[in-house]
Amino acid sequence: MTEQTRIELIKGNIIEAKRFGNPSITENGYIAVEDGVIAGVFAELPERYQNLPVSDYTGRLILQGFCDMHLHAPQFPMLGMGMDLPLLDWLKTYTFKTEARFADADYARRVYRRLTEELVKNGTTRVCIYSSTHADATLVLMEELERAGVSGFVGKVNMDRASGECQETTEESERETLRWLEESARFTRVKPILTPRFTPSCTNEILDWLGKLSQERGLHVQSHLSENRAEIELVKKLHPDCQQYWETYEKYGLWKEKTIMAHCVHSDEREQDAMIRHNVLCVHCPDSNINICSGFTPVRKMAERGVWLALGSDIAGGAQLPMLQVLTGALRMSKARAIATEGAEPFLTVGEAYYLATSAGAKYFGDAEGFAPGNRLHAVVIDDGEFPESTRTLTTKERFERAVYLAGAQDIVAVYGDGERIR
């Protein structure tokens, strides 16, 4: 520690997802943060920090900041629309028409400012997020995320086939992607990620070009996989040389370390094994999978087999942006699957779902699990004082579980992102 070190001490009931299981709880403990980086979690304040100012949230709950690992920013205006349609019909009827509006950068600014404010209000501090096909709107999204204090990866979507009103030509897709990448260099909190929307909307030419670009520049990749049975059948027709959906990405160099694949509802063990071998992140989007009737993802089985799983809101297929609601959606879907299998597949616990909503995604950004020393601080402080009065004194674990189900933006009193207080 030097005289120039910026030290912040935060006190409260600290709840960490150190593993896929029960959370670790330090009651009325301290998080010590030096220059935005966690120095440690302490039950008692160490001597070296005595007599320093404390952000005192005694009695309140301090959770890790949430990671939304899959969402579509230009779909924010269509939340709650078209929920009676299956995936491919929903895309044609609502999604492509809505995303086409983002050719207007001023419109994008209005929408994305509201979106980023809502993310922070609800404790989402890191994202892996899709923009539209428009490079200028994608840059606006990156600007608004940085302004709000949200960090992560942002993708300009590529789609040069069967994409309705927002379809690009292959040449345009390549040219605008390169321009977007060049202009993205100015950002610090957010970085670019290559984003072929999904195999049906991309020609072989653009997939091949993106794969080579990814390898040349060391860029991460995000897309969709095995979300819907009709989608899977379409992929088989488009790529008869591939036995499974995931191989359409592999053959172009897009299936690699830290590739993100959303959904994976119908991924069998062979496809799951390919995820495990290549350390591909599967993002479970429970609200979306229910809304457009894609199916019940076997989250418990996948986790036990060693698949890397995290959670995503997948707006606007998912109608809930707050990650606490996504978390409880994952619990409900898991319980529905347990009922359907007559208990053969046990449901997720609150602690396990909390891990998927926090530490599992944070690993993508290089963090260790929980509030580990060396991580930059991402935290959400919840005041549960306005919840219905209990008939007895609750344990901190019980209060945490209750907060997962009941807390909303109105109960969040502070949000820390990338080492700074952003709300």
Side-chain angles (χ1 to χ4, degrees):
M1 249 183 339
T2 68
E3 291 184 6
Q4 290 75 35
T5 302
R6 176 172 59 89
I7 300 172
E8 182 163 13
L9 304 173
I10 301 169
K11 182 180 182 182
N13 292 312
I14 302 161
I15 301 166
E16 304 178 71
K18 291 185 175 182
R19 64 191 65 81
F20 181 68
N22 287 328
S24 174
I25 297 174
T26 306
E27 295 189 356
N28 285 319
Y30 299 83
I31 305 176
V33 185
E34 300 182 7
D35 291 331
V37 176
I38 297 170
V41 173
F42 306 99
E44 301 291 338
L45 195 61
E47 180 65 30
R48 66 183 182 277
Y49 297 126
Q50 295 290 334
N51 302 318
L52 293 176
V54 176
S55 296
D56 194 347
Y57 302 110
T58 297
R60 294 172 175 172
L61 306 172
I62 303 177
L63 277 60
Q64 293 170 232
F66 297 108
C67 301
D68 190 340
M69 300 303 288
H70 180 72
L71 69 161
H72 295 263
Q75 295 176 20
F76 186 56
M78 54 178 278
L79 280 175
M81 296 173 62
M83 297 290 96
D84 291 337
L85 294 175
L87 173 64
L88 299 181
D89 293 339
W90 180 76
L91 290 171
K92 293 174 185 175
T93 306
Y94 289 98
T95 307
F96 293 152
K97 291 180 174 63
T98 300
E99 294 191 8
R101 283 289 313 276
F102 287 79
D104 180 347
D106 291 334
Y107 176 74
R109 179 78 64 187
R110 294 196 303 274
V111 171
Y112 291 158
R113 181 156 297 185
R114 171 75 183 278
L115 169 62
T116 55
E117 289 171 352
E118 289 296 315
L119 288 169
V120 172
K121 279 172 56 178
N122 287 284
T124 299
T125 63
R126 284 179 284 200
V127 296
C128 285
I129 191 168
Y130 287 48
S131 181
S132 60
T133 55
H134 312 99
D136 290 332
T138 305
L139 293 165
V140 167
L141 175 58
M142 297 174 87
E143 289 169 2
E144 291 301 320
L145 288 165
E146 290 230 335
R147 181 194 62 80
V150 180
S151 53
F153 289 93
V154 180
K156 176 217 167 298
V157 168
N158 298 92
M159 45 186 185
D160 62 344
R161 174 173 64 186
S163 304
E165 293 81 352
C166 47
Q167 183 171 314
E168 314 165 288
T169 66
T170 305
E171 185 278 331
E172 178 186 15
S173 187
E174 293 176 1
R175 183 187 69 244
E176 288 299 280
T177 296
L178 291 174
R179 180 170 73 85
W180 159 64
L181 288 172
E182 182 179 349
E183 296 189 35
S184 294
R186 69 179 189 267
F187 299 109
T188 55
R189 288 185 188 268
V190 293
K191 300 297 181 185
I193 183 169
L194 295 182
T195 307
R197 187 187 201 102
F198 69 155
T199 296
S201 69
C202 295
T203 63
N204 296 352
E205 289 76 18
I206 197 65
L207 289 172
D208 182 60
W209 183 81
L210 288 169
K212 290 174 179 173
L213 184 65
S214 171
Q215 301 294 338
E216 290 168 2
R217 303 200 181 189
L219 295 167
H220 294 328
V221 176
Q222 62 179 355
S223 194
H224 299 79
L225 182 70
S226 298
E227 178 178 2
N228 170 279
R229 293 194 187 279
E231 166 206 13
I232 294 169
E233 289 305 312
L234 177 57
V235 170
K236 287 180 180 177
K237 292 177 182 177
L238 294 171
H239 292 267
D241 58 318
C242 293
Q243 184 179 342
Q244 289 189 302
Y245 195 161
W246 69 276
E247 293 170 321
T248 67
Y249 298 112
E250 183 192 43
K251 71 177 178 179
Y252 295 114
L254 296 163
W255 186 269
K256 59 178 189 170
E257 174 85 13
K258 296 183 78 171
T259 286
I260 297 176
M261 286 290 155
H263 303 296
C264 311
V265 177
H266 303 288
S267 295
D268 64 9
E269 290 191 358
R270 182 174 181 270
E271 195 158 74
Q272 292 172 23
D273 287 342
M275 296 179 210
I276 296 166
R277 286 197 308 274
H278 293 85
N279 203 30
V280 167
L281 172 61
C282 166
V283 184
H284 175 43
C285 306
D287 194 38
S288 172
N289 296 159
I290 291 292
N291 285 341
I292 52 182
C293 296
S294 295
F296 294 99
T297 310
V299 175
R300 166 71 67 189
K301 284 186 176 180
M302 294 174 76
E304 290 177 350
R305 297 192 76 247
V307 175
W308 181 10
L309 290 152
L311 296 184
S313 67
D314 192 31
I315 63 165
Q320 307 294 341
L321 184 66
M323 286 301 293
L324 280 168
Q325 294 182 19
V326 175
L327 196 166
T328 55
L331 290 168
R332 292 187 185 98
M333 176 182 278
S334 178
K335 289 177 180 181
R337 188 174 173 89
I339 293 167
T341 62
E342 298 183 340
E345 185 176 327
F347 57 77
L348 294 175
T349 66
V350 173
E352 289 168 341
Y354 175 56
Y355 178 90
L356 296 180
T358 56
S359 291
K363 287 166 61 178
Y364 194 83
F365 306 101
D367 278 4
E369 294 151 313
F371 288 117
N375 292 352
R376 296 191 67 80
L377 179 66
H378 291 265
V380 179
V381 183
I382 294 176
D383 185 346
D384 60 353
E386 295 300 316
F387 292 178
E389 185 177 351
S390 176
T391 57
R392 60 177 175 79
T393 300
L394 302 179
T395 66
T396 301
K397 183 180 179 183
E398 289 172 326
R399 291 175 57 201
F400 158 69
E401 292 177 348
R402 202 180 194 207
V404 165
Y405 279 98
L406 298 184
Q410 72 278 1
D411 305 302
I412 295 175
V413 296
V415 178
Y416 293 82
D418 200 31
E420 301 174 4
R421 183 166 175 169
I422 58 176
R423 175 183 169 188

